[in-house]
């Protein structure tokens, strides 16, 4: 918790992550609403609020049932499995021999067909295969089920189904480990025996390279969004309570050990970069070794509640459910989130409010200890980064526009002999004017096309100039910075006197 608080991300990278997360949340809401229209409510009655422990940002959180094809639920379940597999492999001396295979059901399942039966049958057959291949010295470590959605025409099965009939094809991603070197012909026997026993398509994909390519969502969000309400109801009923991702063998035992020790795998910020996966102790739930949440009457209150009194009493507010690990939810700097049930800011001093304020104080202490910016500044940078995250249409329009350049001296003359055209300040947008204001006496010019000779020039990358540019981009994160990144630009920084015509790489 302490190490990850105030963990910084590049503002533009953060903005892209936010856009992706927002898309998943919107997709989940659309699917959940479609299910609700069909009579299935997958939203739990929790009234849960998330409070940024440092920024204080308050937002209501929708809590969903464990429906595996909901994108946010799938992402939530996938992350610990991916992290666990990565750390397990990192600490396993034979992980370089782990292999990845795909097993596919022979026949796709049409909508309203027995998808549950197909998944169960494939899972049972894999379980039997796990025991069968022990004679070859092969262990299985993971099984994850996926199903793809296509029309009969797209699958080339129009001769057996209507062309527009929707078919779901079930397959499983499997990680297995040959624990010994096989003798001549033994490997071929193993592959042949597997193909014969599975009774379906089997493909060995070689050594495990990226865990993310194996542990996937059971269904692509775009596929699920394309389904009708009735199809979603069928999909919900066919997948409820099924084990989609399942650790097996040594990996399963390793996860059980973690659970027994009260540990989990998380990425820890240790000196910059992407951090490092580590085993850490789980935070104890409120009430075990901490001050219990006040939710009842005082001990010296001997009066009994009558039914009428109980009905008049409102349910307790500000019930602290827990504290998350630091997340980049509101700014490019990670902060813990306090999960509160029935949040009432007017009662912050009572009931569970004491825990909220105590955790805020502790988070701010960790934030300041890791040199995090002032929360207001972090939120300002976040807003600017989100504004800078242009849509594809914006990028296309920007690409068609003439490129701009910030000058603090007279413009250079290109080989063609035509000088660059200076742009009047009133023609600039607010973002460009903000960038220009950083350079004393700066002006903006519209670049003329460069000659082939200029295109071949090697960029000038003075370390101090590059560092200044990076700092400006990280602090401002404005759309103009992104626009400048997408073009070859000339920037002269105050205090520097590079030779005329030199190019500085953004």
């Amino acid at each position: 918790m302490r190490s990850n608080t105030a963990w910084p991300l590049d503002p533009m990278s953060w903005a892209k992550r936010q856009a992706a997360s927002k898309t998943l949340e919107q997709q989940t809401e659309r699917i959940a609403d479609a299910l609700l229209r069909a009579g299935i409510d997958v939203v739990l009655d929790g009234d849960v609020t998330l409070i940024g422990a440092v920024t204080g940002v308050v937002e209501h959180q929708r809590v969903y049932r464990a429906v595996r094809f909901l994108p946010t639920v799938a992402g939530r379940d996938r992350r610990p499995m991916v992290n666990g597999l990565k750390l397990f492999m990192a600490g396993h001396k034979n992980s370089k021999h782990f292999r990845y295979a795909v097993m596919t059901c022979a026949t796709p399942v049409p909508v309203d067909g027995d998808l549950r039966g197909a998944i169960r049958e494939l899972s049972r057959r894999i379980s039997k295969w796990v025991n069968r291949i022990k004679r070859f010295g092969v262990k299985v470590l993971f099984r994850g089920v996926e199903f793809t959605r296509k029309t009969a025409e797209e699958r080339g099965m129009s001769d057996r189904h209507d062309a527009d009939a929707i078919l779901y094809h079930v397959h499983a991603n499997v990680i297995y480990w040959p624990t010994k070197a096989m003798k001549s012909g033994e490997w071929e026997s193993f592959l042949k025996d597997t193909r014969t026993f599975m009774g379906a398509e089997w493909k060995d994909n070689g050594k495990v390279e990226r865990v993310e390519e194996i542990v996937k969502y059971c269904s692509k969000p775009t596929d699920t969004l394309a389904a009708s309400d009735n199809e979603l109801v069928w999909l919900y009923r066919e997948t409820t309570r099924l084990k989609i991702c399942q650790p097996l063998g040594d990996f399963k035992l390793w996860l059980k050990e973690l659970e027994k020790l009260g540990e989990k795998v998380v990425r820890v910020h240790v000196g910059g970069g992407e951090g490092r996966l580590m085993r850490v102790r789980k935070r104890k739930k409120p009430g075990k070794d901490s001050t219990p949440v006040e939710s009842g009457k005082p001990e010296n209150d001997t009066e009994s509640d009558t039914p009428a009194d109980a009905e008049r009493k409102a349910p307790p507010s500000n019930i602290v459910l827990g504290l998350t690990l630091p997340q980049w939810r509101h700014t490019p700097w990670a902060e813990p989130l306090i999960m509160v049930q029935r949040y009432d800011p007017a009662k912050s001093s009572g009931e569970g409010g004491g825990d909220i304020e105590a955790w805020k104080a502790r988070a701010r202490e960790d934030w300041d200890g890791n040199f995090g910016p002032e929360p207001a500044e972090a939120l300002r940078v976040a807003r600017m980064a989100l504004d800078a995250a242009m849509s594809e249409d914006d990028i296309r329009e920007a690409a068609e526009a003439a490129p701009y350049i910030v000058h603090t001296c007279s413009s250079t003359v290109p080989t063609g002999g035509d000088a660059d055209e200076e742009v009047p300040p009133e023609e600039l947008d607010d973002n460009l004017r903000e960038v220009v204001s950083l350079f004393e006496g700066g002006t903006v010019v519209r670049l003329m096309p460069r000659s082939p000779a200029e295109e071949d020039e090697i960029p000038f990358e003075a370390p101090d100039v590059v560092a200044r540019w990076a700092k400006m981009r990280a602090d401002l994160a404005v759309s103009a910075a992104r626009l400048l990144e997408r073009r070859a630009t000339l920037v002269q920084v105050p205090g520097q006197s590079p030779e005329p015509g030199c190019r500085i790489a953004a």
Side-chain angles (χ1 to χ4, degrees):
M1 183 72 72
R2 186 179 302 113
S3 298
N4 287 9
T5 298
W7 184 349
L9 287 181
D10 173 78
M12 294 307 300
S13 299
W14 171 80
K16 292 177 182 178
R17 288 171 55 133
Q18 286 295 99
S21 297
K22 188 68 175 177
T23 299
L24 285 181
E25 290 175 3
Q26 292 173 345
Q27 291 172 338
T28 300
E29 289 180 4
R30 289 170 59 188
I31 296 170
D33 292 343
L35 285 168
L36 183 60
R37 289 195 299 268
I40 297 177
D41 190 1
V42 295
V43 181
L44 295 174
D45 295 328
D47 189 18
V48 176
T49 299
L50 297 180
I51 305 174
V54 176
T55 61
V57 175
V58 177
E59 62 174 320
H60 184 74
Q61 177 69 29
R62 248 185 168 187
V63 183
Y64 297 98
R65 301 183 188 277
V67 180
R68 306 304 177 191
F69 59 81
L70 291 177
T72 54
V73 174
R76 179 197 67 193
D77 292 348
R78 177 178 181 262
R79 189 177 303 109
M81 187 67 71
V82 169
N83 288 345
L85 259 174
K86 283 184 173 180
L87 189 60
F88 172 75
M89 291 177 62
H92 199 291
K93 63 180 181 180
N94 293 310
S95 60
K96 63 182 179 181
H97 300 302
F98 292 177
R99 301 183 70 85
Y100 158 44
V102 177
M103 298 176 175
T104 307
C105 286
T107 306
V109 179
V111 173
D112 293 331
D114 190 8
L115 182 65
R116 174 180 290 268
I119 295 174
R120 281 180 167 175
E121 173 59 26
L122 181 60
S123 300
R124 279 195 296 264
R125 190 164 288 273
I126 291 174
S127 296
K128 294 177 181 179
W129 173 72
V130 169
N131 292 321
R132 182 183 181 90
I133 61 177
K134 288 179 180 178
R135 59 194 177 99
F136 292 101
V138 178
K139 293 183 177 181
V140 181
L141 305 172
F142 171 81
R143 169 189 63 80
V145 172
E146 291 183 69
F147 35 84
T148 58
R149 178 186 185 274
K150 290 183 179 180
T151 63
E153 185 177 11
E154 291 172 329
R155 295 193 185 279
M157 303 181 69
S158 300
D159 56 332
R160 283 175 278 178
H161 303 274
D162 293 339
D164 57 350
I166 302 298
L167 304 178
Y168 281 76
H169 207 179
V170 179
H171 63 273
N173 299 322
V174 176
I175 297 178
Y176 68 99
W177 168 31
T179 60
K180 64 178 183 179
M182 296 187 184
K183 300 177 182 178
S184 178
E186 197 171 7
W187 176 251
E188 289 76 9
S189 297
F190 162 73
L191 295 177
K192 182 178 179 180
D193 182 80
T194 296
R195 182 174 291 106
T196 301
F197 177 77
M198 290 303 298
E201 183 179 342
W202 143 270
K203 182 181 180 182
D204 175 82
N205 291 313
K207 296 179 180 179
V208 174
E209 299 292 343
R210 296 187 71 251
V211 170
E212 291 87 350
E213 295 178 353
I214 303 171
V215 185
K216 300 180 181 179
Y217 291 8
C218 63
S219 177
K220 293 180 180 179
T222 52
D223 284 353
T224 310
L225 282 170
S228 64
D229 291 3
N230 290 336
E231 184 180 337
L232 287 174
V233 171
W234 167 78
L235 190 60
Y236 171 80
R237 290 172 176 165
E238 292 296 302
T239 58
T240 300
R241 300 181 185 274
L242 286 180
K243 291 183 178 180
I244 300 298
C245 285
Q246 191 172 11
L248 301 169
D250 291 2
F251 179 49
K252 181 178 180 179
L253 295 176
W254 186 80
L255 290 178
K256 282 187 175 180
E257 179 192 359
L258 259 64
E259 185 66 27
K260 182 178 179 181
L261 296 174
E263 296 178 349
K264 60 180 178 180
V265 179
V266 299
R267 192 169 292 279
V268 181
H269 186 220
V270 283
E274 297 183 355
R276 189 173 67 192
L277 289 173
M278 300 174 64
R279 291 169 58 163
V280 301
R281 290 191 301 274
K282 293 181 181 179
R283 175 179 288 273
K284 294 183 180 295
K285 294 182 180 179
K288 288 193 174 182
D289 287 334
S290 61
T291 304
V293 177
E294 295 179 21
S295 59
K297 60 184 179 181
E299 292 183 2
N300 59 359
D301 188 351
T302 57
E303 297 179 7
S304 61
D305 294 332
T306 64
D309 292 334
E311 289 177 3
R312 284 195 295 267
K313 280 188 176 181
S317 59
N318 291 346
I319 303 301
V320 179
L321 302 178
L323 189 68
T324 73
L325 285 174
Q327 300 179 16
W328 295 278
R329 192 171 184 91
H330 305 305
T331 75
W333 290 267
E335 65 171 329
L337 302 175
I338 305 171
M339 298 179 291
V340 184
Q341 190 172 30
R342 290 187 291 275
Y343 176 63
D344 185 354
K347 298 181 180 180
S348 59
S349 60
E351 298 178 353
D355 292 333
I356 295 174
E357 296 306 315
W359 275 349
K360 281 185 176 181
R362 174 59 186 274
R364 183 59 189 269
E365 181 181 339
D366 293 340
W367 177 278
D368 293 339
N370 290 334
F371 307 102
E374 286 297 316
E377 176 65 13
L379 289 170
R380 185 184 75 87
V381 172
R383 287 192 298 270
M384 297 174 76
L386 291 174
D387 290 342
M390 297 183 295
S391 67
E392 290 301 321
D393 291 339
D394 295 331
I395 294 172
R396 196 176 300 111
E397 291 175 5
E400 295 172 357
Y404 291 106
I405 177 173
V406 178
H407 270 295
T408 55
C409 59
S410 60
S411 61
T412 58
V413 181
T415 307
D418 295 325
D420 299 327
E421 176 189 356
E422 184 172 329
V423 180
E426 57 271 16
E427 293 186 15
L428 304 178
D429 62 24
D430 293 339
N431 290 329
L432 272 175
R433 277 196 292 270
E434 186 171 358
V435 172
V436 174
S437 67
L438 297 175
F439 303 93
E440 185 176 354
T443 60
V444 176
V445 298
R446 188 174 287 110
L447 290 178
M448 297 301 292
R450 292 182 298 177
S451 68
E454 287 184 305
E455 293 285 357
D456 293 336
E457 290 178 359
I458 299 176
F460 175 78
E461 298 180 325
D464 53 344
V465 176
V466 175
R468 291 190 187 192
W469 175 264
K471 184 176 186 303
M472 182 189 75
R473 178 173 176 269
D475 289 344
L476 292 176
V478 292
S479 59
R482 183 171 180 178
L483 187 62
L484 291 172
E485 274 194 336
R486 289 180 173 272
R487 287 144 179 82
T489 62
L490 288 172
V491 180
Q492 183 169 333
V493 181
Q496 299 293 321
S497 300
E499 296 179 5
C502 68
R503 298 196 180 279
I504 300 175

